[in-house]
Amino acid sequence: MSRIFKKIILIIVGVLFIIYLNPNSKENETSNTKEEITDNSKGNKISSTIKKEENKNIVGTLKMGEDHMKNSFTQIKITKDIYNRIYGKSYKENCPLPLEDLRYLRLLYYGFDGKIHVGEMIVNKRIAKDTLSVFQELYEAKYPIESIRLVDDYDGDDERSMSANNSSAFNFRYIDGTKTYSNHGKGLAIDINPLYNPYVRTRNGSMEVLPAKGEKYANRHLNHKYYIKKDDICYKIFTKYGFTWGGEWTNSKDYQHFEKVSEER
C-alpha cells in the first residue's frame, strides 16, 4: 500500500509541475499587459497597465527605454490589411481620394480610466506628422480621451462612433446637399471626445445635436471636465500645430472638431 501511495503522490506532483510550466494555463491568461515604461516628463520609470482593446487590431506594446515615445507614435501607408478593414466603410466605393493620400497612425493616449491605451487613426498624409505631434503632446499632458479607434469599427457610421465617444478622423462623405467632400472625407479633420463635445446647429428652426445622445452636453455654460473650451490644453495643442477649432464657427458649433486645411504640396 505504501508503494502505491508513493506512486500516487509522484503522479500528482508531475501533473502539477506540467500545469506550472504550461504557458497557456489560466494563471497566465490575462486581458491586461503589465509593462514598465518611462515617464519622460519626470525621467522616472513607472509601472502602467496597458488595456488590451476589444479590437485585436489595435493591441500594441510599448518599447522599453527612453525611445519608446518615438516607437509608439508612428505612421505608415495604407496596407492591404488596412484597406480590407476600411473598404466599403470609411473608404466608400465611390471615394475619389487616392489611398496614397492617406496614412495610418498608431499612438498612445490616456483613457478616462487613467490608464495608457494604444489607439489608431487614419488622416491625410499632409497632416500626419502634425497629428502625431499633437497626440504626443496630449499624451504627455495626460489629457483624457475615452477611445481612439477607426470609425470602421462602427461600420463607418458617424452617429454610432460619436455616441460611443470615439475620437476619429477620416471618414469619406460629401457635405450635405453638395458634391464637395468634407474635411473628414479628405482626412483633414479630427473629432475629440465627440459625445461630450457635440456638433450643434439650427436646422429648420430647431436645434440639432450630433450625436443625439450628446444633447445634454450642448449647453456649454455648464462646467464639465470633458468639455473642450477655448484656451484649454486640448485647444492650445491643436492650434499650436495650425489646426482650427469648430467651437469658434459662427453659424454652427462643432465642439469636437479640429481641422487643418492647407494648400496642396
Side-chain angles (χ1 to χ4, degrees):
M1 289 293 293
S2 61
R3 277 187 287 182
I4 294 175
F5 181 77
K6 287 180 180 180
K7 287 183 179 180
I8 293 173
I9 294 296
L10 288 174
I11 291 171
I12 292 173
V13 170
V15 170
L16 291 175
F17 185 71
I18 291 171
I19 293 174
Y20 176 78
L21 292 178
N22 183 3
N24 294 318
S25 66
K26 291 293 182 181
E27 186 177 359
N28 290 323
E29 291 180 3
T30 177
S31 62
N32 293 315
T33 301
K34 197 80 170 178
E35 294 192 353
E36 192 176 59
I37 65 173
T38 299
D39 181 351
N40 285 350
S41 64
K42 298 179 181 178
N44 299 321
K45 286 190 174 180
I46 59 175
S47 182
S48 297
T49 300
I50 304 172
K51 180 182 177 183
K52 289 195 173 206
E53 308 290 351
E54 292 181 0
N55 185 335
K56 66 180 181 180
N57 293 299
I58 60 175
V59 174
T61 58
L62 295 181
K63 299 292 184 181
M64 298 291 287
E66 61 184 11
D67 65 342
H68 85 273
M69 293 284 281
K70 176 182 177 182
N71 295 318
S72 299
F73 291 82
T74 60
Q75 61 168 299
I76 61 171
K77 293 182 178 182
I78 303 301
T79 64
K80 182 178 180 181
D81 286 342
I82 296 171
Y83 174 74
N84 289 337
R85 288 181 63 194
I86 69 176
Y87 181 72
K89 296 177 182 178
S90 65
Y91 196 83
K92 311 294 191 295
E93 293 182 15
N94 63 341
C95 182
L97 189 71
L99 284 173
E100 172 58 31
D101 287 356
L102 298 174
R103 293 293 181 269
Y104 171 86
L105 313 182
R106 286 176 66 87
L107 48 88
L108 302 179
Y109 66 98
Y110 278 88
F112 283 4
D113 55 7
K115 298 176 182 178
I116 299 170
H117 298 251
V118 181
E120 58 179 358
M121 181 174 287
I122 291 177
V123 299
N124 193 293
K125 66 181 180 182
R126 289 153 51 191
I127 68 167
K129 182 178 179 181
D130 286 338
T131 299
L132 287 175
S133 295
V134 164
F135 279 95
Q136 184 167 330
E137 289 201 27
L138 290 173
Y139 169 76
E140 290 170 344
K142 296 186 177 181
Y143 184 81
I145 301 174
E146 187 165 17
S147 170
I148 305 179
R149 299 167 61 177
L150 298 187
V151 72
D152 308 275
D153 290 345
Y154 303 89
D155 294 321
D157 187 321
D158 283 319
E159 182 71 17
R160 282 181 57 201
S161 178
M162 291 188 293
S163 295
N165 202 32
N166 181 56
S167 299
S168 64
F170 172 72
N171 191 12
F172 179 77
R173 60 179 177 269
Y174 291 104
I175 298 173
D176 288 347
T178 75
K179 284 297 183 180
T180 302
Y181 43 112
S182 71
N183 286 324
H184 277 291
K186 299 174 185 176
L188 297 173
I190 300 168
D191 291 339
I192 302 294
N193 290 333
L195 177 63
Y196 299 98
N197 298 280
Y199 173 57
V200 183
R201 66 180 176 184
T202 299
R203 197 173 194 183
N204 299 324
S206 300
M207 184 179 74
E208 182 181 29
V209 179
L210 300 173
K213 287 176 62 177
E215 183 174 358
K216 62 183 176 180
Y217 305 111
N219 183 352
R220 306 310 281 186
H221 297 296
L222 300 178
N223 193 16
H224 195 288
K225 63 181 178 178
Y226 299 133
Y227 278 6
I228 298 172
K229 294 190 174 184
K230 185 174 181 179
D231 294 327
D232 70 7
I233 186 65
C234 184
Y235 174 94
K236 286 181 177 179
I237 291 174
F238 268 99
T239 55
K240 171 183 174 181
Y241 289 94
F243 287 82
T244 57
W245 181 45
E248 295 182 302
W249 293 353
T250 302
N251 297 325
S252 62
K253 300 293 183 183
D254 200 351
Y255 298 108
Q256 63 196 261
H257 182 99
F258 291 93
E259 64 181 30
K260 184 172 184 179
V261 183
S262 58
E263 296 297 324
E264 294 283 353
R265 295 191 184 117

